[in-house]
Amino acid sequence: MTVVLLSGSTTFSQIHRMERHDSVAHSYNLNPVVVTGSGHHQRLKSTATPVHVLSAQEISEQGITTFDAALTRMLPQVSMAPNSMGSFLRLNGLGGKYILILINGQKLSGDISNNVDLNRINMSRVKRIEILDGAASSLYGSDAIGGVINIITDQPTGSLVSATSNTKVGGYGTLTQSVNLDIYKNGFGSYTSFSHDRADSYQNNNLEYKKGSDTETQETIAPYFTGYRSSVIGQKFTYAPNQHLALNAGLDYSYKITDRPDTREDITGGTDYEMRYKGLRWNVGGIYKFTNRNSLQADFTVDRFRYGKEYDVATKTYAIGDYVQSKKQRTMDGEVKAILGLLPGSTSIFGADWRKDYLTATSGNINQHVYTLAAYAQHEHRLLKDVTATVGLRYTHHETFGNQLSPKAVLMYAPGNFRFRATYSTGFRAPGLDEIYYHYFSVNRGKAQIIFGNRDLKAEHSHYASLNAEYRSDLIAVSVTGFINRINDMVVRKDIPVDETTMARLRSEFPEMTDDQAAKLERYSLYQNSDLGDVKGLQLNVSANIFRGFNLSANYAYTYARNKTDNEWTTMERSIRHAATIAANYHHTWNWYSLHVNLNGKLQSKTYYTSYEDAPGFGIWNINTIHTFRVVKWADIEPSIGIENIFDRVDRRIDSSDRKYALYSPGRMLVVGLRLKVK
């Protein structure tokens, strides 16, 4: 495969042709086009910053239809812990608030307990997912301390009209359904999509320990996994009248509601309400190519997100159908970026970004906003025949936390098919409006919860360094990366015991607190800069086209993540020391019929919990088969059938107050699907 530098010398149509070829290749493309690491289009082999790529082809072959499954089943350094408040995402030991999630380079906003609502991502439109480990604030600003996940969406240009329907059904009420309609003619594109995703709540054990006992149990209906119904509707328009100009505008609406058992008097574990989430995101943008190596692009995005409680059980205060909003967020983001070939063998990027965040939280007594202004520059230059250096710097002015500088430096030595990279980068994270201004009071099952923000917080900063060695050819790609990520002034929620003095102040702050609730209150929480984070890791990635039609990949991640609080080091919450993913894929075509067989597994050691019992490790194996029938030249019928969790691995421990989990599978499950495509 020819190594091609795309940045300034490749036209829009060439990029489409190259990426379209990648998506239909019978062997995995070991040198795809990426953009996240450098901020401009390059072949993966040419980028100075290592990037992990999950292609739509690989995701489909593993039978994956949700974003969280794509990350956790294909990347060993990623883990999830789903519940009614969203999926608790972790990358290399660091939680969701340190991970920046982008859609086509623009931030996906709207968090639930510091985790983005991942159900807002329409997987039917994903062309590839790019994952950048470590700090990346020089290009992407705040929140990019632990890494960046960039979802690149598809915009087909090959057919006048094409339509796709994809349905997948499994046990426990799991259903994903997507429908896409694409129109492209004379430079104009219209891309309409609808996706629906649902799953039932389920239990792996219907017992729990009675409060205060480690031996006596009782029956419960509390779900081990919280069911939900989620839908996303999207519309995007593009217009490219010539080789110089391309414009786009898009709108996405998302809706999600949980599906939990209702409160009952005869048994514990039910709830009076469901959590309801709504998101509305729109953007406009364009790119103008002055010459083959010089372009200017601009984007403006508005993202609105809100969630709250929708009652399905009548209470003393609320009737069935009442909605109580918990949090409403809005983000406006405008960016201008120039990509320039100022010198032979070089690419320079200059950009400016303006962002404003709004937060209204009823329970937290917040109605605040904050703006951020930033300017950044990056220069990539080939110093010698096989040596490339990249330097970058971002200046950020945050309304609350003042000025921040985020430098980056990368050196790559590339003899033949080998690559040796050294990276140093910094990251910063401005504390969220909730961490600054929270004045939170809520009652859960008769017990009060109080959280205070802190206006004296400092911004968090990180230093990230990595060494990478890689060999990449048409047949095999092998990569080894060692890294260290040190985070200063980590913002944590610290529990503070309640005494008589503080109780008097709390009763004054929250007069709605009853005597009974006050009697049960043992502690309240305050956000503080108290932690030092230290993450060290090693990653090994191997992908090979063994022979035509048979591909094998294996990935291993070792992560040693720690916190230092009050001069005491502890293992970071929810971190995993060892994890691996393995996938073997076979493909063959006989005239009008094609067969895909994919066997994949995820193996990991125990999950660490600081205040709870550690969750045991596990190994999960899945198999998926896809059968493609070319009925006519313009239509494909593609049924699929697979088995998830072949060996029926399930965590059936009895629930208790000191028990957390890592494996959320309900057990072995048959999954069938049908994909129809007309083009």
Side-chain angles (χ1 to χ4, degrees):
M1 182 174 296
T2 304
V3 180
V4 181
L5 181 65
L6 289 182
S7 59
S9 59
T10 306
T11 65
F12 303 131
S13 59
Q14 286 174 313
I15 293 173
H16 284 307
R17 286 199 299 272
M18 296 175 74
E19 295 185 337
R20 189 166 62 247
H21 171 76
D22 294 343
S23 67
V24 299
H26 292 170
S27 296
Y28 286 156
N29 179 12
L30 302 183
N31 191 26
V33 176
V34 294
V35 68
T36 305
S38 62
H40 61 98
H41 287 90
Q42 285 182 300
R43 286 292 186 183
L44 184 60
K45 189 175 181 178
S46 302
T47 181
T49 305
V51 178
H52 305 282
V53 182
L54 308 180
S55 69
Q57 177 191 357
E58 295 171 282
I59 294 170
S60 174
E61 287 171 352
Q62 292 199 19
I64 294 171
T65 55
T66 62
F67 182 73
D68 55 351
L71 293 181
T72 56
R73 282 169 55 170
M74 302 178 72
L75 290 173
Q77 65 267 41
V78 177
S79 64
M80 299 272 189
N83 69 9
S84 60
M85 293 303 292
S87 294
F88 286 85
L89 170 66
R90 299 195 79 81
L91 174 63
N92 292 317
L94 294 174
K97 68 179 181 179
Y98 300 109
I99 305 165
L100 182 61
I101 297 181
L102 310 172
I103 297 180
N104 296 319
Q106 305 303 311
K107 181 176 179 177
L108 179 64
S109 301
D111 71 273
I112 311 164
S113 300
N114 290 319
N115 288 275
V116 171
D117 182 8
L118 301 179
N119 289 99
R120 299 183 69 192
I121 299 169
N122 183 355
M123 285 298 291
S124 70
R125 282 297 183 198
V126 171
K127 177 163 58 178
R128 66 181 184 274
I129 302 171
E130 300 178 7
I131 301 91
L132 176 64
D133 290 308
S137 289
S138 64
L139 272 180
Y140 298 106
S142 180
D143 303 341
I145 282 182
V148 176
I149 300 174
N150 193 6
I151 300 108
I152 310 299
T153 60
D154 197 14
Q155 298 174 29
T157 59
S159 302
L160 174 61
V161 179
S162 63
T164 305
S165 172
N166 196 358
T167 307
K168 183 154 289 190
V169 180
Y172 299 91
T174 58
L175 166 69
T176 58
Q177 169 69 58
S178 64
V179 179
N180 295 340
L181 175 63
D182 304 324
I183 302 171
Y184 184 82
K185 185 178 182 181
N186 297 332
F188 172 80
S190 171
Y191 310 97
T192 308
S193 62
F194 168 78
S195 67
H196 179 72
D197 180 23
R198 66 179 300 157
D200 292 341
S201 295
Y202 58 77
Q203 296 177 303
N204 285 344
N205 194 318
N206 66 345
L207 297 178
E208 65 178 3
Y209 288 109
K210 290 185 177 179
K211 188 175 182 180
S213 173
D214 293 329
T215 57
E216 192 175 0
T217 62
Q218 64 186 9
E219 190 176 357
T220 180
I221 58 174
Y224 179 69
F225 172 86
T226 301
Y228 64 90
R229 303 187 303 275
S230 175
S231 297
V232 181
I233 300 172
Q235 175 64 55
K236 185 171 185 177
F237 296 104
T238 63
Y239 182 54
N242 52 53
Q243 292 290 311
H244 295 283
L245 179 65
L247 305 173
N248 68 84
L251 178 72
D252 291 283
Y253 170 79
S254 60
Y255 174 90
K256 176 184 174 182
I257 190 167
T258 57
D259 187 11
R260 301 180 290 187
D262 294 342
T263 301
R264 288 166 47 181
E265 294 183 358
D266 60 324
I267 193 170
T268 67
T271 55
D272 296 336
Y273 56 85
E274 303 296 345
M275 297 302 300
R276 194 185 79 186
Y277 316 90
K278 289 185 178 181
L280 180 65
R281 174 186 175 93
W282 62 268
N283 68 283
V284 293
I287 179 171
Y288 186 82
K289 294 180 69 70
F290 298 97
T291 66
N292 285 338
R293 301 192 63 220
N294 299 277
S295 63
L296 178 68
Q297 64 186 63
D299 293 281
F300 182 75
T301 303
V302 176
D303 200 346
R304 299 172 180 265
F305 181 77
R306 65 177 181 174
Y307 70 88
K309 304 172 182 177
E310 185 174 291
Y311 282 80
D312 46 16
V313 174
T315 69
K316 293 181 180 180
T317 307
Y318 301 106
I320 295 175
D322 284 353
Y323 173 75
V324 179
Q325 182 172 283
S326 298
K327 183 184 284 189
K328 181 171 66 174
Q329 297 166 274
R330 177 163 58 102
T331 299
M332 296 188 296
D333 197 339
E335 182 180 19
V336 178
K337 180 169 69 173
I339 303 174
L340 307 172
L342 300 176
L343 298 170
S346 73
T347 301
S348 300
I349 298 176
F350 301 94
D353 182 88
W354 170 85
R355 178 176 171 180
K356 192 159 189 177
D357 293 295
Y358 298 81
L359 173 63
T360 302
T362 305
S363 55
N365 194 26
I366 296 177
N367 187 6
Q368 297 285 343
H369 55 80
V370 64
Y371 74 84
T372 304
L373 291 172
Y376 59 92
Q378 177 178 285
H379 182 70
E380 179 180 298
H381 194 86
R382 182 174 297 176
L383 302 178
L384 301 171
K385 177 184 176 182
D386 297 324
V387 178
T388 301
T390 303
V391 292
L393 180 67
R394 185 184 190 96
Y395 165 78
T396 303
H397 175 75
H398 189 280
E399 182 179 4
T400 303
F401 296 99
N403 302 321
Q404 313 286 332
L405 284 176
S406 304
K408 166 188 174 180
V410 183
L411 186 66
M412 180 176 71
Y413 174 54
N417 288 330
F418 289 92
R419 297 293 182 271
F420 301 95
R421 302 175 174 97
T423 300
Y424 169 76
S425 58
T426 61
F428 82 92
R429 175 183 173 270
L433 289 169
D434 51 350
E435 294 170 323
I436 303 170
Y437 297 109
Y438 244 18
H439 192 261
Y440 180 89
F441 177 84
S442 70
V443 180
N444 185 17
R445 298 181 181 178
K447 191 172 183 179
Q449 182 182 28
I450 294 175
I451 306 172
F452 288 105
N454 186 348
R455 302 190 185 195
D456 295 324
L457 289 175
K458 295 180 289 186
E460 301 169 84
H461 292 85
S462 71
H463 298 271
Y464 174 85
S466 71
L467 294 174
N468 168 264
E470 175 186 280
Y471 175 84
R472 189 176 297 273
S473 69
D474 292 350
L475 298 180
I476 188 169
V478 181
S479 176
V480 180
T481 304
F483 69 88
I484 181 170
N485 200 358
R486 178 65 64 93
I487 304 108
N488 298 311
D489 296 320
M490 293 183 76
V491 175
V492 297
R493 204 171 76 188
K494 189 171 183 178
D495 290 336
I496 300 175
V498 174
D499 55 26
E500 292 184 3
T501 302
T502 55
M503 177 55 72
R505 182 172 67 86
L506 294 175
R507 294 298 298 268
S508 174
E509 293 269 359
F510 304 103
E512 64 270 32
M513 182 165 49
T514 66
D515 293 339
D516 182 60
Q517 292 165 357
K520 295 178 182 178
L521 186 65
E522 299 176 351
R523 60 184 59 87
Y524 68 95
S525 298
L526 173 68
Y527 285 106
Q528 294 183 351
N529 291 105
S530 65
D531 274 22
L532 173 67
D534 184 85
V535 183
K536 299 180 179 72
L538 177 71
Q539 295 177 4
L540 174 62
N541 308 99
V542 181
S543 298
N545 296 319
I546 304 299
F547 54 83
R548 183 168 178 81
F550 182 69
N551 317 105
L552 183 66
S553 66
N555 308 285
Y556 167 76
Y558 167 79
T559 307
Y560 185 40
R562 301 183 301 163
N563 290 91
K564 185 179 181 181
T565 306
D566 299 327
N567 294 319
E568 181 179 352
W569 285 100
T570 58
T571 303
M572 201 169 288
E573 180 82 358
R574 298 182 185 271
S575 65
I576 300 161
R577 195 70 53 85
H578 304 276
T581 59
I582 302 171
N585 184 77
Y586 174 73
H587 170 272
H588 192 76
T589 298
W590 297 269
N591 296 323
W592 48 268
Y593 168 70
S594 296
L595 170 67
H596 289 267
V597 181
N598 184 281
L599 177 68
N600 62 84
K602 174 73 177 277
L603 305 94
Q604 69 178 47
S605 59
K606 67 179 181 181
T607 302
Y608 291 90
Y609 288 95
T610 54
S611 304
Y612 306 93
E613 175 187 345
D614 294 336
F618 60 85
I620 293 290
W621 291 90
N622 315 287
I623 189 169
N624 187 61
T625 65
I626 301 174
H627 311 265
T628 305
F629 298 90
R630 176 61 56 88
V631 180
V632 291
K633 290 183 178 181
W634 47 269
D636 291 341
I637 299 177
E638 196 171 86
S640 63
I641 184 168
I643 300 174
E644 295 187 357
N645 196 352
I646 297 172
F647 300 106
D648 200 27
R649 292 296 304 273
V650 180
D651 189 344
R652 299 192 186 277
R653 292 176 297 160
I654 298 176
D655 196 10
S656 68
S657 60
D658 62 349
R659 183 150 292 166
K660 296 292 183 180
Y661 300 88
L663 174 60
Y664 291 88
S665 171
R668 186 185 300 116
M669 185 166 62
L670 178 69
V671 180
V672 296
L674 180 64
R675 183 173 183 266
L676 305 174
K677 184 172 183 179
V678 178
K679 53 185 177 180

